[in-house]
Amino acid sequence: MITSISLTHFLVVGALLFTFGLVTVATRRNAVGVLMGVELILNGANVNFVAFNHYVTGGVSGQVFALFVIVLAAAEAAVGLAIVLAIFQTFKTIDVRFADLMRE
Amino acid sequence: MSVPAIPYAPKRTAKSVVLLTLAVGFILPVALFGAILVLSPLTKPAMFEALVNQLGGNYAAWSPTAKAGAYAGAAALLGFMLLNFGAIISGTTVWWEMRVSSRMQSRIGYNRVGAGGFFQWIADAVKLLLKEDLVPAEADQLLFRAAPYFVLVGFALTFVALPFGESIIAADLNVGIFYMISVTALVVVGIMLAGWSSNSKWALFGGMRSAAQVISYEIPAGIAIMVPILMAGTLSMQGIIRAQGPWPWQWFVFTNPFAFVAFIIFFIAQLAEGNRTPFDLPEADSELVAGYLSEYSSFRFALYFLVEFGNLWVMAAVAVTLFFGGWQVPGTTLQTFQDAIGPGPLPGAAWWGLQLASLVVFVVKTLVVLNVIVWIRWTLPRIRVDQMMTLCWKYLVPFAFVSFVATLLWMIVVARYPVAATVTGGVLTAVFAVVLAVFLRQTKANITAAGDRVDLTHW
Amino acid sequence: MATTTVREYTGAIKDTVVSFWHGLSITLSHLVRRPMTVQYPDRTPMHVRDMLPPRYRGFLEVDAAICTGCQACERACPIGCIQITLEKDPANPKQRVVTQFDIDEAKCMFCGLCVEPCPTGSIQHTREFEASQSDIRNLVFRWADPATGFPVYKVDKTAEYYPRVELGSLVRAKLETRAWDAPGPKFFPPEPPRPPEEKKPAAKPAAAAPAAAAAAPAPTAPAAAPAADKPTTETK
Amino acid sequence: MKTTAGKLSAWFVATLLVVVFLGYMTTQVIQPAYVPGVASTGPAGLTDVLFYVLAAVTIAGAAGVALSRNILYSAVGLLMALLGAGSLYVFLSADFVAVTQLLIYIGGVLVLILFAVMLTNRITEVNVSNTSFGSFGGALLGISVAPVLIAVVTLTPWPARAPAALAPTTALIGNGFLTKWLLPFEVASLVLLATLVGAVVIARKEIKAD
């Protein structure tokens, strides 16, 4: 049984995960690095879902939501990495700045 | 150079050294096993409290820090022992595998150091520890050093949920089997990091192959595991065992014909995930030197070896848990165990005896499966990469789906006619016994056809 | 089309089961049999060369007494491990003398192509195989003494067979007296002077090191582990 | 790591890592196999310590992802963050979610990411560049977002409710997926199928039409 650990503790962890994910997404040039940032953001959200489920709503609806997020994260990673591979085959780099054919 | 006519002169070893090695080799596993036997129930909070009170302490009066410290200490001791048990099991498995393999290839092996060569693995381990620990200059220093520990942790974490007996389990997680699959993923991460950080083409290819192989084979393995989960209605390792019975026709592998298919699929997938022959592509010696561990030496190499052979125990134990009735002792039920606890704060002697019996049953079954794995390794050659992928995607995955769906239908039938389970169990067990007898006859025929006879001397 | 695919699919499964059945029973039957091997070399009942199969191809042996000096074996050798030099005998200009007959057993792949064209059966595979050496160049067998050489054999057209010494006796004599521990012939370049240690490129990729080591002509002791003498590994 | 003592200490560190997880799991959602009288969980102080350790691991891993120069190190950081977050779920009575997190993120996503790194970088060079641009902007972003979020989290009076005791949730989730959340569940499976096909179509090399 958890005594002194409260909802706020988990929310702080989630907020930090989200922040680091945001910074990663914003600053990375490497497409794989950007994907990692997205995973971090999703995890931050997940921590919040599960924490609110335990401390506020009860039941399992928050956990189910977290599970859907995990499933979609896996799907996103698969498609994202396929796109990264396609970018690599086309541009011979995965630096996101160079994948700009649509700009012209 | 011609061979000089020197008669064979065995090296003389001091008696005390022999006795010491004997003590290390035999008493240590036994002591560890006994300690695990005692410790794992005792680390349950209630029993820990009872033990403290039994020993004359007053658990309720302890400060929270003392409680937490003592409890953490007990859990740490158990974890340390389990890890060491894994190490010793992996060492003895190496010795046994070498003995069996040499015998299967009509040669003599592993008989120089100690009793029947038993101390060879200790000598090897000591030699590895004393060797120079090389890190390639162009390797990624941090990841190269860290990768073996990922592998080790992924291996050691499986022992958390691995059952040894009725109450002999570190933690009966209610997501047990799921947990086992997920923590073994750490091994893959470690292998990939090792392959990449070595900065060697062989290691890299080994790591990539390993990742492709393990990801592919997780799919049929996962679906095949669903079959016993469906039949037991729980994910807990102990729950799956309790849903089976002690007799062969009550094991999941024989009660349901599709579960037998699922077991075959699961077994093959386990071999692939554990990088065992015929799926040892990641460390294919003839193509990739040693695959992902080409550049490793000394202690780190020893860690990889520990994990590789210790995994045999884990693979066999999981198979026994899911399909072979686990620790179920013939003649007992869950109630027998409950009744033997007795009224006292600590369970009575009968309970401990039953625990020991269940431990023995589980270990014997596990060793049988382990020997089958060893046997297959020395029978089959390594398959090619495309064959490995074909086997997974074109054969195992469809059959796993079929057995999964068929098990669902079978469960509907059994729910209506409970006698169906008994019938299929009896028939399948009988068929298996007959097939086994025919197989043994074939083996005997092989021996007599070669003009030889069964001879267990010169072992 | 579809039926053949189905037949292939089921046939693959059937093959798997059948091969498992036979393979497992064979290995299991060997498990409960007495091992055939004995420990080498100290527990063999007789010398190992006497237990080898009859067509075993070991080191080449040349019987100088019946060698015609025709160099057919040298031409037949696909890897050029035989080197023969013929000279005129200064005392007797009509007599030709073999002054060099070197066989590099380190290069020899024991294919037997040199044995076939030999008109007299002078060159033959023996059953000798034990010749571990610390220097690979010592694995050159010199069948002609460079100083004196041996005169070539005049083939007698009417002869039914050519008298040859007992097969293997010459090689065995060389092995036992270590007479073949001679320095190598001239087709081995002399060992290049080792570059000084500090001139070694330190930033060479680790993956390229074994290839570089293999390409380098400097022979190293074969007993050393390949990982241990990699120049780019550093001790931690 | 040079000496035997160093090796042994590494061994003990690895052991400790295992032990922490083991002890922590033992105290949590586990149903004890032996229940003589009152079922009790482990001492409370231990879980607090474990929470802080695991939260530190999570955040350190996330920081590693954001700040590391080498993409492989970022991947290891992501591994730590995912492991830590997954372990934190156990404190929240979400054992199934925790294990799913380990299984899918570490066994699937992380391995896929490592795969992509190895396929898309010239593997002969050790330093797989993961340089960030606009470090100043990134730092600014982090400094501006994090305090706001943390202030919101700490200052809001969240509706307090006594958390339920830790209990297994697998059966509840399974029931939910087949009753209340059946439609989302099926949609998720469709999404996965579409992903499967889409990923293959995107990533495959161009094959000349016959």
Side-chain angles (χ1 to χ4, degrees), chain B residues 49 62 82 89 130 135 211 353 368 373 413 421 433:
Chain B
E49 187 178 345
W62 283 15
L82 278 171
I89 272 293
L130 296 179
V135 177
V368 168
I373 298 173
V413 172

Side-chain angles (χ1 to χ4, degrees), chain A residues 2 50 53-54 59-60 63, chain D residues 28-29 88-97 164-169 173:
Chain A
I2 289 158
V50 180
N53 176 62
H54 184 64
V60 291
Q63 295 187 19
Chain D
Q28 291 303 314
V29 196
L88 287 180
Y89 294 155
V90 182
F91 289 91
L92 296 167
S93 179
D95 48 353
F96 187 76
V97 180
L166 301 182
T169 56
I173 290 175

Side-chain angles (χ1 to χ4, degrees), chain D residues 10 15 49 56-57 73 88 103 112 116 142 145 177 196 202:
Chain D
T15 317
V49 173
V57 165
Y73 288 12
L88 287 180
L103 183 64
L112 264 182
V145 169
F177 270 141
L196 204 66
I202 294 170

Side-chain angles (χ1 to χ4, degrees), chain B residues 50 89 119 132 184 201 203 238 254 258 270 286 330 342 382 399 437 452:
Chain B
I89 272 293
F119 302 118
E132 191 178 5
T184 42
K201 57 193 170 216
Q238 297 286 54
F254 292 136
F258 309 107
Q270 287 264 288
S286 52
R382 184 186 309 127
F399 275 94
D452 212 334

Side-chain angles (χ1 to χ4, degrees), chain B residues 329-389:
Chain B
V329 186
T332 63
T333 59
L334 195 53
Q335 197 56 43
T336 323
F337 282 93
Q338 290 290 336
D339 294 342
I341 288 178
L346 276 179
W351 187 82
W352 291 105
L354 279 173
Q355 295 298 329
L356 188 63
S358 67
L359 177 73
V360 168
V361 168
F362 188 84
V363 168
V364 167
K365 283 179 185 174
T366 306
L367 289 181
V368 168
V369 177
L370 195 151
N371 273 300
V372 172
I373 298 173
V374 170
W375 180 15
I376 285 178
R377 170 168 181 184
W378 296 102
T379 302
L380 298 179
R382 184 186 309 127
I383 63 176
R384 289 196 314 262
V385 178
D386 63 320
Q387 289 169 332
M388 183 263 289
M389 282 296 173

